[in-house]
Amino acid sequence: MRKLLVILSLLFASQAIFPQSVAREWNEEVLNAIRNDFARPTVHARNLFHSSVAMYDIWALFDDKASPFFLGNTIGDYYCEFEGFETDVNPSEARQEAMSYAVYRLMQHRFANSPGVEDIFTSIDELMESHGYDINFRNTNYKSGNPAALGNYLAEQLIAFGLQDGANEANDYENLFYEPLNDPLDMDTSGNASMEHPNNWQPLKVESYVDQSGNVIPGGQPPFLSPEWGQVVPFSLSDDVLDIYTRDGFDYYVYHDPSDPPYIQDGLGLDDPYKWGFAMVAVWASHLDKDDPVMIDISPASLGNVPVDLYPENYEDYESFYNFFDGGDPSVGRTMNPATGAPYEPQMVPRGDYGRVLAEFWADGPDSETPPGHWFTILNYVSDHPELKKRFKGEGEELSELEWDVKSYFILGGTMHDVAISAWGIKGYYDYVRPVSAIRYMAGKGQSSDPNDISYDPHGIPLIPGYIELVREGDPLAGAFNENFGKIKLYSWRGPDYIVDPNFDEAGVGWILAEEWWPYQRPSFVTPPFAGYVSGHSTYSRAAAEVLTLLTGDEYFPGGMGVFDIPEETFLQFEKGPSTSFQLQWATYQDASDQTSLSRIWGGIHPPCDDIPGRLIGLEIGVKAFSFAERYFYGSLIEQGTIYPNPSSGELFVSYKTSDPLEIALYDTLGRRIYSAPAVFDQLDRCRLDVSYLKDGMYFVTLEKDDEQIFVQRLVKN
């Protein structure tokens, strides 16, 4: 799909055009580079995070309260040496110059081998030159007071950090240990006879494979992307949510372990959660036709507003959450737009158009920023909305464009990075199967609903009248010589074989042999090259929705609704459609996130078991990362007390007036508690703490009552 959210009219047609901060300019350059690079959501979440850190740290150096995240601190096992920065240059100009050099140098390193390197480098060179900066200046002696040298130094340090953070960047992020259990599924053939492990991921062999960014991948058999990413140094993820599992000589780091997905069971038919989930994917594919007779209201009056307490807690409860036959979830909608005071107007559209558009809109196809970048574009357009007041958490004075951008990018970047580490750590360890493999595998075995009927197999697909049936004698699909008798047929989207020219053709829905089933995706792509469990889209989206809600202090989009215009007949890219023009509409950020999750089921990419755990993990990560990032914006979160001396090399005093019993604790920059003890105050209201054993770097000192932090202040140990 084209540069989907670059034209996002979520994007409120009435938006005014604001002057952009230098942080926004460089964020747009990073997003442009991602669109011109290989589609690697994990890698680009990391690129967005590191570029956001570069801009935030420079900004923080010139702020009275804020603390840098990286400069002068230890992150993971890496210490970034830094002795402070003083300059005679105007602070505003110095900030802009240092930020520009930092991100420019980082991008030169990170995107040097991108397929679109020429376009990327031309664009960033032009931006540097538009500000009058010398792109050949490479000095890193920031002690000279030169802002450009400061930017170069910070980039140099971030690059060095990135070469040892567990991403294996030096070897182009290549996998070191992971090997797939299954042989590839050749999409040029029918069925899935090569699959031996139906619970595990299977590579795909696709002639002229094109990744999500539109790049042709030689060999047509992409490897699993980032199965070992759980070992990358995170932002806010902490050891209390980490499990480590050893397999094949490698320690898989799994943050927020959701436990096992449903594995295939013998028999049971639809009572087997594995078979139920993948069968639902096939059933929802029967909606993807412009001639589908069902009309639905896709406005916030009917869709969205799904309470978290309705999320199913186990796989047996999924049936009460998803509408198995008609599609969708238990949305209750909203009656009133809180920004306008008027009711949300219904918008009736064909379900067949809605399902197809959702599948493509959220799929992040060619020229996309990948899911983490996708949410940066949403953040940028929310920031541009004329009704948005740029007050942090919706409180206090409005922030400048630059302060709003650097803080929001820092939070969202750290969040997306943590999601990549958690979701792909889970994907790598659980190594779970995708629908195209599972549906073809089960159908190849037969049916599992009736042991007394033909083609029974304990691993067969469940029979569902009208959707999943046996080919019997006289069936049009039986073949001239009844060669397909006893096989499984699906009433589903018919696939790319029915599309010759996507400008004029639509595959439509009809009965097909299940062995030839395709997800609703481009024939040159089929399915992302990594395991399904948990859904990256669900996890990224829910985490980002939490961040945007906390950042703006409002769960609603500015104006009470975000929209995207869908033009008739021209929006879909691999078939003609939709049959009518309409808008995608979301009242809240969570509504948009929940829609993302459903889109992946309609698109044939995920079964429900991939979805809900991803949403819940994203919710936890978003809230935790926001709180973690916020600490850096203030020298002390509570004004009542203080710590001294700070920096400290040995003995530290915590001054706090209280008569309550408290606990004193130390946390590192990853949010890990490394020390705790009852706080003992002397007659001067001081508590002594020995920090001489700590490594140099930054920490947080807290006082806690009943497990609640009532005092937090950063400590620099040197």
Side-chain angles (χ1 to χ4, degrees), residues 378-418:
I378 292 178
L379 166 63
N380 284 338
Y381 284 110
V382 168
S383 297
D384 284 347
H385 196 284
E387 293 187 31
L388 177 71
K389 302 299 182 184
K390 295 180 179 176
R391 299 186 178 101
F392 186 68
K393 299 198 296 186
E395 303 169 347
E397 299 293 325
E398 284 199 66
L399 306 183
S400 68
E401 296 292 325
L402 180 61
E403 183 173 354
W404 174 267
D405 287 341
V406 294
K407 286 183 174 180
S408 61
Y409 293 156
F410 178 60
I411 299 169
L412 186 59
T415 303
M416 297 293 93
H417 180 57
D418 278 355

Side-chain angles (χ1 to χ4, degrees), residues 163-291:
L163 291 174
Q164 57 80 67
D165 71 344
N168 197 25
E169 180 187 331
N171 294 309
D172 198 26
Y173 311 99
E174 183 179 351
N175 300 334
L176 298 175
F177 291 89
Y178 175 86
E179 293 290 341
L181 291 175
N182 287 302
D183 291 334
L185 168 58
D186 187 346
M187 295 303 296
D188 285 336
T189 63
S190 298
N192 192 6
S194 64
M195 191 171 204
E196 296 183 11
H197 303 277
N199 295 316
N200 296 97
W201 181 73
Q202 181 180 38
L204 299 182
K205 185 177 184 300
V206 181
E207 184 178 357
S208 301
Y209 176 82
V210 178
D211 74 5
Q212 285 174 288
S213 291
N215 302 298
V216 177
I217 306 301
Q221 190 177 310
F224 193 130
L225 173 73
S226 305
E228 299 150 6
W229 205 255
Q231 284 203 4
V232 175
V233 175
F235 174 59
S236 68
L237 296 172
S238 53
D239 286 349
D240 63 329
V241 294
L242 171 64
D243 291 287
I244 301 174
Y245 304 111
T246 301
R247 188 183 75 223
D248 299 329
F250 181 76
D251 289 337
Y252 284 88
Y253 281 43
V254 178
Y255 292 91
H256 296 284
D257 183 7
S259 75
D260 293 310
Y263 299 126
I264 194 167
Q265 301 179 52
D266 287 345
L268 300 182
L270 280 176
D271 291 331
D272 177 352
Y274 176 104
K275 299 187 182 81
W276 181 90
F278 288 110
M280 194 183 91
V281 174
V283 170
W284 281 28
S286 70
H287 306 156
L288 306 177
D289 190 329
K290 69 179 180 63
D291 295 324

Side-chain angles (χ1 to χ4, degrees), residues 312-352:
E313 296 182 359
N314 54 65
Y315 298 122
E316 288 71 23
D317 295 334
Y318 277 43
E319 295 182 33
S320 63
F321 185 84
Y322 297 95
N323 190 323
F324 188 94
F325 291 104
D326 296 330
D329 57 21
S331 291
V332 296
R334 295 172 171 83
T335 57
M336 194 71 67
N337 182 328
T340 65
Y344 287 107
E345 295 184 6
Q347 184 187 193
M348 303 299 296
V349 302
R351 180 180 60 179

Side-chain angles (χ1 to χ4, degrees), residues 105 183 206 285 368 474 477 578 580 657 680 688:
R105 295 296 177 210
D183 291 334
V206 181
S368 169
L477 292 176
T580 185
K657 187 174 181 63
V680 180
R688 286 179 171 84

